[in-house]
Amino acid sequence: MKSLFSIVAVAAAMAAAAPASAQTTLRASHQFPGGQGDPRDEMVQIIAREVAAANVGLTIQVFPGASLYKATEQWGAVTRGQLDMSAFPLDYASGRVPQFSATLMPGLVRNYDHAQRLNQSDFMKDIKALAEDKGAIVIADAWLAGGFASKEHCITSPDTIKGQVIRAAGPAFEQMLAAAGASISSMPSSEIYTAMQTGVLDATNTSNDSFVSYRIYEQVKCLTAPGENALWFMYEPVIMSKKVYDGLKPEQQKAIMAAAKKAEEYFTAESRKGEQKMIDTFTKAGVEVVSMSPEDFNAWMEVAKASSYKNFSEKVKGGDELLNKALAVK
């Protein structure tokens, strides 16, 4: 039998031969197509590349296209610490955190410059604090403009949506569209194409990038682009499990945040190009492209204020205060 001294000596030798810091692999999941130019996928890929280059014992494995978790399952997986990172439309978690539906409130964000100002506001501080309280931290901000598309006819003023079955992304838009006479079918953006193909949907609204990435131009007659009167802006940040982040070494946390900053800078520049890319893609596919007039926008806002804004203010805890903080940012 080996002596205790021999066993200790062997263990010490093995420890000395082991790498100074073992490599830790994190898993990042999102619903968007991978390797096809979608800037949300590229944000996560940038973070993975930059973290690997930092040489701090971290590898990030990216699972695009809902290949690891379905779109709506990612929030629960992140907050439980089962998934490390995700590019995630925050409104998808509004069923669990109702305040998150403010991040897809009709007309709340008018353009990308406005979105950047909003990122520095008390409104976003409150949103991020709510996310952290539930177990997720925002490491990179991302706002996307979007519009409408229909197989029936162009959607401009509120009366043009009557009778159409539409996917609306979140509660606030669903309430507004229902008030204007639409029927609602809820689903993540990754399911829009099939729903249109099979006749489940007549129309949809989603982000500029999703319209292109999911090839919605193959299914519709008319696209309503954001233009100067964007009604639709959605917050789709990169989030990370707080439990996982807190368990990393300080140099690893620093590397992740530095990488996330580069990814956010890339996205801020790239997202502004998304509308023209969308318009060009749909036009080339033979789809009619229009935009809302100021009168159309104002008519929609009257509907929104009487439905989604009113409901959020009255029924969501702290809703009125949260909206006022957002509306204070001009």
Side-chain angles (χ1 to χ4, degrees):
M1 182 180 291
K2 292 184 179 179
S3 67
L4 178 61
F5 176 80
S6 298
I7 294 171
V8 171
V10 170
M14 290 175 65
S21 62
Q23 193 78 6
T24 298
T25 299
L26 304 181
R27 298 184 304 166
S29 167
H30 63 74
Q31 73 189 69
F32 311 108
Q36 298 182 27
D38 190 299
R40 292 161 294 191
D41 172 59
E42 185 58 21
M43 270 187 95
V44 182
Q45 300 290 353
I46 288 170
I47 294 171
R49 291 195 296 267
E50 292 291 324
V51 167
N55 196 27
V56 291
L58 272 184
T59 298
I60 299 175
Q61 188 175 5
V62 183
F63 296 85
S67 57
L68 186 62
Y69 283 95
K70 292 180 180 179
T72 53
E73 294 174 350
Q74 292 175 120
W75 174 258
V78 166
T79 54
R80 290 191 296 268
Q82 297 167 338
L83 175 63
D84 306 306
M85 189 181 296
S86 178
F88 183 74
L90 205 60
D91 185 81
Y92 282 16
S94 60
R96 301 187 185 190
V97 187
Q99 292 88 347
F100 286 169
S101 64
T103 63
L104 183 57
M105 187 65 66
L108 194 69
V109 180
R110 292 297 297 268
N111 53 55
Y112 282 106
D113 289 336
H114 188 197
Q116 291 303 305
R117 293 192 295 274
L118 203 63
N119 282 339
Q120 311 306 317
S121 70
D122 288 340
F123 166 74
M124 287 306 297
K125 288 177 184 176
D126 287 354
I127 292 293
K128 291 176 181 180
L130 281 165
E132 187 167 343
D133 182 63
K134 300 299 180 182
I137 60 171
V138 172
I139 62 172
D141 292 316
W143 286 93
L144 284 88
F148 296 78
S150 173
K151 297 182 350 180
E152 302 296 322
H153 51 254
C154 296
I155 298 170
T156 50
S157 59
D159 62 297
T160 60
I161 196 64
K162 288 180 181 177
Q164 295 197 59
V165 179
I166 186 168
R167 177 265 186 186
F173 262 85
E174 289 179 353
Q175 291 156 14
M176 180 190 72
L177 290 166
S183 297
I184 306 300
S185 184
S186 301
M187 64 190 71
S189 55
S190 53
E191 297 176 14
I192 294 171
Y193 187 98
T194 301
M196 285 196 148
Q197 190 177 45
T198 56
V200 172
L201 289 179
D202 301 315
T204 187
N205 58 17
T206 191
S207 68
N208 297 339
D209 295 316
S210 287
F211 271 125
V212 175
S213 294
Y214 294 123
R215 309 190 321 277
I216 307 302
Y217 50 84
E218 296 179 358
Q219 296 294 326
V220 300
K221 290 182 178 179
C222 185
L223 168 74
T224 307
E228 296 300 315
N229 300 288
L231 193 66
W232 198 102
F233 256 89
M234 189 174 195
Y235 186 57
E236 303 187 18
V238 179
I239 61 173
M240 188 168 178
S241 166
K242 187 177 187 303
K243 179 181 178 181
V244 172
Y245 181 84
D246 288 347
L248 296 176
K249 297 174 183 177
E251 63 268 26
Q252 293 173 329
Q253 293 177 341
K254 184 178 179 181
I256 283 176
M257 296 310 289
K261 186 174 186 297
K262 284 193 174 183
E264 183 179 311
E265 289 170 351
Y266 154 82
F267 186 87
T268 299
E270 196 66 22
S271 59
R272 294 172 185 262
K273 305 173 188 176
E275 182 170 351
Q276 191 58 51
K277 179 181 178 181
M278 174 182 67
I279 290 171
D280 292 345
T281 302
F282 275 67
T283 300
K284 185 178 179 181
V287 177
E288 183 181 359
V289 178
V290 300
S291 58
M292 291 185 185
S293 67
E295 292 75 21
D296 292 331
F297 178 89
N298 291 335
W300 275 112
M301 288 306 296
E302 289 301 313
V303 178
K305 287 173 183 176
S307 53
S308 48
Y309 277 73
K310 183 175 185 290
N311 186 76
F312 189 87
S313 295
E314 294 177 353
K315 296 184 178 179
V316 175
K317 183 179 179 181
D320 190 51
E321 182 183 0
L322 196 59
L323 281 183
N324 284 336
K325 287 180 179 180
L327 293 169
V329 180
K330 304 299 183 183

